[in-house]
Amino acid sequence: MPAAPIPSDEELRLAALRDLNLLDQDGDQELNRITALAASVLDVPICLVSLVDEDRLWFAAHHGTDGNQWPRELSFCGHVVNSKRTVLAHDLRLDERFCDNDLVIRRVPPLRFYAGVPLLFGDGQVVGTLCVMDQRPRPDFDEAKLKQLIRFSEIVHDQIRLRQQRLQAQQAHTLFSSGPVGTVVWDAQMPPHPTYLSDNLKDIIGKRLADELHDGQPYIDIVHPQDQEAVRSSLSSHHQGLLPMLEISFRLRPSARGMRWVHQVNKADYDEAGRLQGIRSYLFDLTRQKHLESSIEATKERLYLALESARIGTWDANNETQELIINARAASMLGYREDEVEHDNQSWMDMVHPHDRVNTDQALQSYRNPGMDVIALEYRIRHKKGHYVWVQSYGRTVERDDSGRPRRIVGTLLDITESKRQESLRNRQRQLLDLLNQAQTSFLLNRNVQDACEALFEPLLRISESAFGFIGIVQYNDKGQPYLMVPTISDLDWRHGKVRSGHYERRPEGLQFHQLDNLFGHVVTQNQIVLTNEPGTHHASQGTPEGHPTLRNFLGMPIRFDNKVLGMIALGNRPDGFDEQMVQLLEPLVVTLGTLFHARDQENARVTAEQELLRLATRDALTGLANRRHFFDVAETSLTQTRRYGTPMTVALLDLDHFKHINDTHGHAAGDAVLNAFAEVLRESLRDTDTPARVGGEEFAVLLTNTPLSEALIALERIRHTLDETPIQVGDRTVYATVSIGAVQWNANHMDVDGMLAHADAALYAAKRHGRNRVQLYHAELMQMEATSTTPLRAANDAA
């Protein structure tokens, strides 16, 4: 059978294997003890810790076999590496993967049993196995023994990991104790004080100066007097701003052995709040490098290692030659290779954003001030692909001419595009929060959702950087079908164009969109966010109306309350397109609008309920006219005004003639039809300022305010005549009805409404007695005439 296939992650696997530093090493004693113990516990003669290299199987530990490697193509472990799973073969001769392997058919003695567990390192790469083998088949190697083997593999894994940690700690100790880099750790005070001095510092600065530092001598005292200010400034710079790293070369105090140079790299540690926690300084002996050019290049690589790991670029500007040297990291920030950048000041300035050139020019002028130590500046510079990135630059003058003008300036460069983007996002969030407060305040003041939407719409377009959009409210037609009422929309030309039938309608309160089988309708009907930067490819897209600008991108968000869609926000044509971050930014807005829309619905429902309650309390259930109670309330109020200002007022009582006969002859349905027909006659015959009411079964009342008596009688006669001429259809029959009316005009003797109604009642009885279907005005003699009548008034009324 062929050898095990090469895994797909072979390169990563080999890299993880080499990181273990176990290949071609003498067997680890601890690992050898583990393999011996595993062989004894599992009752097998052979146990190996195998590492699968490119073309061999290397034994990091082995028990029961000679030698320390096998060819990879013969190894059983290659199958474990490829499958990344445990392999168990009770009888190798019966397993098609191994039956013709040389170790099975040619080895003396041949192998008959194999079990291997993968060893994982790196990002889950299988670098080898812990395996056991036997020269006889092992059907007795059951699940319990396999679990024991897996537990032994975990011990092997932990042992290898501990070995790695020991090696790394040993290397770090060697690096900082006897390597070429000395270490000084400073506290966060101002000025800083050393809290740690590495043992190898004497090799960097000399034993005498190192002893002085260990004895408590101030650090600045070991520096050359002419360089002390520069060293002091380099350390204090970390207090003045978030300057994570700074490097400086300086001379030590002269000694009998001559001048010694040191290059120092400061690495500042800040907490999350930006407070300085401490400074680590790495010192290099530059004495020999000052004389040997080749050594200088090697030193630079070590110095910039920390800068590269921190992703900080460096630059060195010479004002006399106009030469600008930047390192590879600074070039890569702009998408260039180091050799692609023009190394002169003017080329760099040409790439600065036009809006930031004034600030950069001012910063260059600041370097002329000898009192300025470190200049910090943030500006935008053009990337190779054409967009702009934000950078933060810290620069310091390191060389001046005889006139004190800066000759050479060095500094660092840090890409802060992401932090600027986060800052912009926070600003937009603050603006949006202010906008929400304004919208809520507007709604609370005037309870008008449309005004609230209008107030936040234009700022919303600015915050989202959208070219156009709308805010829509979901409403329903008589059939219960949803449509969008859009009170707030961008002022686009297509609003004034021809209306497509069935697509939308113009109403005073806004546009109504009835066709929702499109991109924005999908938001409402499916209760889903629609975010697309290629609208034409979206399955719900139906194109844009004639005259509408081309839709390059679109964001639609449903406005919900309790997961019910109440409206939507639609935005279009954002320069950089829409993303999930914009959705998260606008989420508080749609939640607030959902609450406002719900509050509006609740308010409308409350008003409707109150109106219905008022209607039920003041209206007659059958005719819809004012009921008796409401009539008296209106009449009392009108009487008060009449008594105060002397305005004319007429009260009339109206009683349908022979109504009992209609009920008895045609039924109560006919009676109800007559009552409703008469109520309609009253509504049509009177002014809006008059008050008709049903005050009894077939008895009605009318209040005519600010009406002279002559006009009041005309109105009452119009009521009588209209009813007399109106046929009333009851099923297939036609009924006619008449009415008798008694009226009274207010005079100073009328102290209350009951008094006026009593006189109107007397006039009504007189109308009944004198033939019905007539209007009778009350006068004083009427009461005397009725008093002498042989027919009592109540009897006449009952006979009506």
Side-chain angles (χ1 to χ4, degrees):
M1 299 299 290
I6 300 298
S8 59
D9 62 346
E10 181 71 359
E11 291 299 324
L12 293 174
R13 194 190 68 79
L14 291 175
L17 173 60
R18 295 187 181 103
D19 286 343
L20 298 179
N21 198 25
L22 284 170
L23 294 172
D24 299 311
Q25 300 292 319
D26 293 336
D28 185 281
Q29 292 184 1
E30 291 298 326
L31 292 178
N32 281 327
R33 280 197 288 268
I34 294 172
T35 56
L37 178 61
S40 174
V41 171
L42 297 174
D43 190 24
V44 292
I46 302 173
C47 182
L48 307 174
V49 176
S50 67
L51 303 176
V52 181
D53 198 1
E54 254 181 319
D55 52 6
R56 61 175 174 162
L57 192 69
W58 176 264
F59 304 149
H62 56 91
H63 173 82
T65 183
D66 296 330
N68 51 18
Q69 61 182 325
W70 284 350
R72 177 172 177 173
E73 63 269 15
L74 296 180
S75 72
F76 309 134
C77 299
H79 292 273
V80 178
V81 170
N82 180 59
S83 65
K84 297 186 177 182
R85 291 182 295 183
T86 297
V87 171
L88 175 63
H90 294 97
D91 191 339
L92 292 169
R93 294 171 300 178
L94 302 180
D95 195 310
E96 62 179 9
R97 295 172 294 180
F98 312 119
C99 60
D100 57 356
N101 189 292
D102 284 354
L103 297 176
V104 178
I105 62 177
R106 292 188 176 85
R107 185 180 186 272
V108 180
L111 297 177
R112 292 291 183 263
F113 165 75
Y114 172 82
V117 178
L119 296 175
L120 279 71
F121 287 90
D123 293 329
Q125 281 79 36
V126 181
V127 300
T129 72
L130 173 68
C131 64
V132 293
M133 291 176 280
D134 203 339
Q135 291 90 3
R136 61 187 178 88
R138 293 295 300 273
D140 61 319
F141 199 91
D142 55 12
E143 189 68 27
K145 290 188 175 182
L146 185 59
K147 289 182 178 179
Q148 288 180 320
L149 180 61
I150 292 173
R151 284 196 289 270
F152 275 115
S153 73
E154 294 170 351
I155 297 173
V156 169
H157 180 278
D158 293 343
Q159 178 60 31
I160 292 175
R161 183 65 74 196
L162 286 172
R163 179 182 180 276
Q164 269 191 304
Q165 293 173 354
R166 286 197 301 271
L167 287 176
Q168 290 171 354
Q170 183 178 358
Q171 290 169 355
H173 179 76
T174 301
L175 175 64
F176 290 108
S177 296
S178 59
V181 181
T183 306
V184 179
V185 179
W186 311 81
D187 59 24
Q189 298 182 21
M190 184 65 187
H193 299 88
T195 60
Y196 169 78
L197 303 169
S198 66
D199 294 336
N200 66 332
L201 205 58
K202 61 182 182 300
D203 299 327
I204 309 301
I205 64 175
K207 185 177 184 307
R208 181 173 59 87
L209 296 181
D211 289 342
E212 289 182 12
L213 290 180
H214 282 290
D215 291 338
Q217 187 79 3
Y219 186 84
I220 204 69
D221 288 352
I222 72 169
V223 179
H224 192 286
Q226 294 181 4
D227 293 341
Q228 287 182 359
E229 184 59 32
V231 173
R232 187 181 292 109
S233 296
S234 71
L235 292 172
S236 65
S237 297
H238 298 291
H239 286 269
Q240 298 175 6
L242 292 176
L243 185 63
M245 190 169 294
L246 185 67
E247 56 186 283
I248 183 175
S249 298
F250 57 90
R251 294 163 292 179
L252 297 176
R253 195 177 69 218
S255 67
R257 294 187 177 183
M259 187 67 66
R260 186 187 290 263
W261 282 83
V262 171
H263 191 90
Q264 180 172 302
V265 178
N266 294 338
K267 176 67 173 65
D269 298 320
Y270 297 92
D271 62 15
E272 294 180 355
R275 293 185 292 265
L276 182 67
Q277 301 297 298
I279 305 171
R280 287 171 286 156
S281 295
Y282 303 103
L283 282 68
F284 301 83
D285 185 357
L286 287 187
T287 305
R288 293 187 61 189
Q289 283 80 350
K290 280 289 182 177
H291 304 289
L292 302 173
E293 189 67 27
S294 59
S295 298
I296 292 177
E297 293 300 322
T299 303
K300 282 186 176 181
E301 292 181 2
R302 292 194 297 271
L303 292 175
Y304 281 93
L305 177 62
L307 292 174
E308 286 295 318
S309 64
R311 305 184 69 84
I312 296 177
T314 61
W315 52 270
D316 187 332
N318 190 311
N319 287 343
E320 287 187 350
T321 64
Q322 290 299 302
E323 182 183 14
L324 176 68
I325 300 174
I326 65 172
N327 69 349
R329 174 62 61 190
S332 67
M333 289 180 189
L334 308 181
Y336 294 97
R337 297 191 310 271
E338 190 174 4
D339 58 354
E340 290 181 312
V341 180
E342 296 290 338
H343 289 279
D344 63 87
N345 289 339
Q346 189 57 49
S347 296
W348 186 269
M349 292 300 296
D350 288 343
M351 294 191 295
V352 174
H353 194 286
H355 293 170
D356 297 333
R357 288 182 183 175
V358 172
N359 290 338
T360 54
D361 289 341
Q362 290 176 350
L364 291 175
Q365 293 299 320
S366 298
Y367 286 112
R368 297 180 178 274
N369 182 1
M372 296 297 292
D373 188 12
V374 176
I375 307 297
L377 179 66
E378 295 179 358
Y379 59 94
R380 288 162 290 182
I381 191 163
R382 189 172 62 250
H383 193 274
K384 182 179 180 180
K385 294 183 178 180
H387 62 277
Y388 284 88
V389 296
W390 276 96
V391 295
Q392 185 181 64
S393 176
Y394 289 94
R396 180 176 180 274
T397 300
V398 296
E399 189 176 343
R400 295 181 182 273
D401 60 17
D402 296 338
S403 302
R405 290 175 299 191
R407 175 182 293 160
R408 184 163 160 259
I409 308 169
V410 298
T412 58
L413 205 67
L414 181 66
D415 187 341
I416 59 170
T417 304
E418 178 61 22
S419 63
K420 280 291 185 180
R421 189 181 65 81
Q422 292 295 332
E423 180 182 347
S424 175
L425 176 61
R426 288 191 294 272
N427 288 336
R428 290 202 301 269
Q429 288 172 336
R430 284 193 293 269
Q431 294 172 18
L432 190 62
L433 181 60
D434 293 340
L435 196 58
L436 294 179
N437 291 334
Q438 294 174 13
Q440 290 174 326
T441 301
S442 173
F443 177 77
L444 290 174
L445 290 176
N446 57 25
R447 316 299 291 180
N448 190 311
V449 170
Q450 182 173 348
D451 289 350
C453 292
E454 288 285 355
L456 63 82
F457 182 64
E458 290 299 331
L460 169 63
L461 292 182
R462 291 196 301 271
I463 292 173
S464 65
E465 301 172 339
S466 301
F468 51 78
F470 68 78
I471 299 176
I473 302 173
V474 174
Q475 296 186 352
Y476 295 88
N477 60 21
D478 296 339
K479 298 180 180 179
Q481 298 171 330
Y483 66 91
L484 265 181
M485 174 62 71
V486 181
T488 309
I489 190 169
S490 298
D491 189 16
L492 301 176
D493 291 341
W494 66 277
R495 292 181 63 190
H496 310 295
K498 183 179 180 181
V499 176
R500 287 194 291 171
S501 177
H503 187 71
Y504 65 90
E505 298 177 9
R506 292 194 188 92
R507 295 293 177 88
E509 60 272 23
L511 295 180
Q512 289 186 3
F513 288 89
H514 296 274
Q515 187 174 331
L516 299 180
D517 58 339
N518 46 39
L519 201 59
F520 67 79
H522 192 76
V523 178
V524 173
T525 59
Q526 301 301 313
N527 192 5
Q528 291 180 352
I529 294 174
V530 174
L531 189 160
T532 174
N533 291 315
E534 295 182 357
T537 64
H538 195 279
H539 63 86
S541 176
Q542 297 292 332
T544 54
E546 183 179 354
H548 193 287
T550 301
L551 194 62
R552 298 191 303 273
N553 47 62
F554 174 79
L555 173 62
M557 298 180 66
I559 298 172
R560 312 182 183 101
F561 187 88
D562 198 18
N563 206 36
K564 178 184 178 182
V565 181
L566 304 179
M568 69 170 290
I569 287 177
L571 300 169
N573 287 13
R574 186 171 185 257
D576 296 330
F578 293 101
D579 52 25
E580 287 298 327
Q581 189 177 77
M582 181 58 65
V583 173
Q584 295 174 12
L585 173 68
L586 298 180
E587 186 64 27
L589 173 64
V590 296
V591 170
T592 300
L593 286 178
T595 303
L596 295 183
F597 286 8
H598 176 71
R600 177 213 57 183
D601 293 343
Q602 293 293 100
E603 178 70 11
N604 290 343
R606 182 189 65 80
V607 171
T608 300
E610 290 179 353
Q611 291 175 344
E612 179 62 16
L613 289 174
L614 180 62
R615 187 190 67 80
L616 293 175
T618 61
R619 296 291 158 180
D620 175 59
L622 177 63
T623 63
L625 297 177
N627 59 20
R628 182 182 185 87
R629 178 178 177 181
H630 185 56
F631 178 82
F632 270 87
D633 290 341
V634 175
E636 289 286 357
T637 301
S638 298
L639 181 60
T640 300
Q641 297 295 319
T642 296
R643 290 178 59 82
R644 178 177 300 171
Y645 301 110
T647 55
M649 170 180 167
T650 300
V651 173
L653 286 176
L654 305 86
D655 192 87
L656 293 172
D657 298 326
H658 303 297
F659 184 75
K660 184 175 183 301
H661 175 74
I662 294 174
N663 267 336
D664 293 342
T665 303
H666 302 290
H668 288 286
D672 290 346
V674 171
L675 292 173
N676 280 319
F678 182 52
E680 189 61 31
V681 168
L682 290 175
R683 280 189 284 264
E684 292 178 356
S685 302
L686 295 173
R687 303 167 301 181
D688 293 339
T689 55
D690 300 328
T691 303
R694 183 185 178 200
V695 296
E698 69 273 17
E699 189 173 18
F700 294 79
V702 171
L703 174 66
L704 299 104
T705 57
N706 297 321
T707 308
L709 178 60
S710 58
E711 295 182 9
L713 292 175
I714 292 173
L716 295 174
E717 179 58 31
R718 182 166 58 246
I719 292 171
R720 185 205 65 75
H721 177 75
T722 302
L723 179 63
D724 190 30
E725 297 294 326
T726 300
I728 303 171
Q729 197 68 30
V730 180
D732 55 354
R733 292 168 295 172
T734 301
V735 176
Y736 286 89
T738 60
V739 64
S740 297
I741 303 173
V744 61
Q745 179 81 359
W746 175 84
N747 59 57
N749 296 322
H750 291 132
M751 304 303 295
D752 53 32
V753 175
D754 287 335
M756 293 187 69
L757 286 176
H759 288 170
D761 196 33
L764 172 62
Y765 293 155
K768 291 281 190 181
R769 190 169 179 278
H770 292 91
R772 302 180 183 85
N773 192 20
R774 60 182 293 168
V775 177
Q776 177 65 55
L777 179 65
Y778 172 81
H779 50 85
E781 294 77 8
L782 183 65
M783 296 297 288
Q784 297 175 359
M785 292 171 58
E786 295 299 333
T788 60
S789 172
T790 58
T791 303
L793 293 177
R794 179 58 59 188
N797 184 53
D798 292 342

